[in-house]
Amino acid sequence: MLMLKMFPRKFSSQEKVERCMDAFIEMHDGEWQSLGSEEMILKVYEFITEADQILGDHFSREEKRGLSVALGQHPWFVNNGYEVRYLKLKNSLSLEVIEEAEPA
């Protein structure tokens, strides 16, 4: 999905995040549209894992946090009960189910 060649020159932090978001949106709106919900979740998980692992050494902590925020604003996450979390101590991204609060 994501490749280091997507960053052929030194991009600013914002450009890196925008490039990743463009890739996510392109896949979400394109080839992923024919997938069932479980397959879609798997593809989103794979995207986040790849962004975290492959680009991990090329993204600063701030860039990873920015990517988690940007991805979290995509409607798919809210509509499907997921969020992207930036785990500061591990310097990694994680796809998490949003836990609903217990009724009072």
Side-chain angles (χ1 to χ4, degrees):
M1 283 184 235
L2 293 173
M3 299 292 189
L4 290 178
K5 66 183 177 184
M6 288 177 56
F7 306 100
R9 61 180 170 82
K10 185 165 175 67
F11 285 113
S12 71
S13 294
Q14 185 171 346
E15 288 173 313
K16 288 179 182 178
V17 170
E18 288 173 359
R19 204 85 187 252
C20 287
M21 281 304 301
D22 289 345
F24 180 83
I25 291 167
E26 182 178 323
M27 288 183 274
H28 175 271
D29 294 350
E31 62 188 76
W32 293 354
Q33 286 301 303
S34 62
L35 302 175
S37 63
E38 287 185 25
E39 292 171 309
M40 177 72 90
I41 293 166
L42 180 60
K43 290 294 184 184
V44 170
Y45 174 80
E46 289 172 352
F47 180 92
I48 292 168
T49 301
E50 184 174 351
D52 188 51
Q53 292 175 348
I54 293 178
L55 301 177
D57 295 337
H58 302 277
F59 269 50
S60 69
R61 291 179 182 271
E62 294 78 25
E63 291 164 346
K64 279 191 176 183
R65 185 184 165 285
L67 181 57
S68 72
V69 170
L71 283 168
Q73 293 175 351
H74 189 278
W76 183 87
F77 293 95
V78 174
N79 294 340
N80 290 281
Y82 286 88
E83 66 183 0
V84 180
R85 291 186 185 160
Y86 172 67
L87 307 172
K88 185 176 180 178
L89 294 176
K90 294 182 178 182
N91 188 29
S92 66
L93 300 174
S94 176
L95 179 65
E96 302 287 335
V97 175
I98 299 172
E99 294 186 28
E100 295 184 28
E102 292 289 324

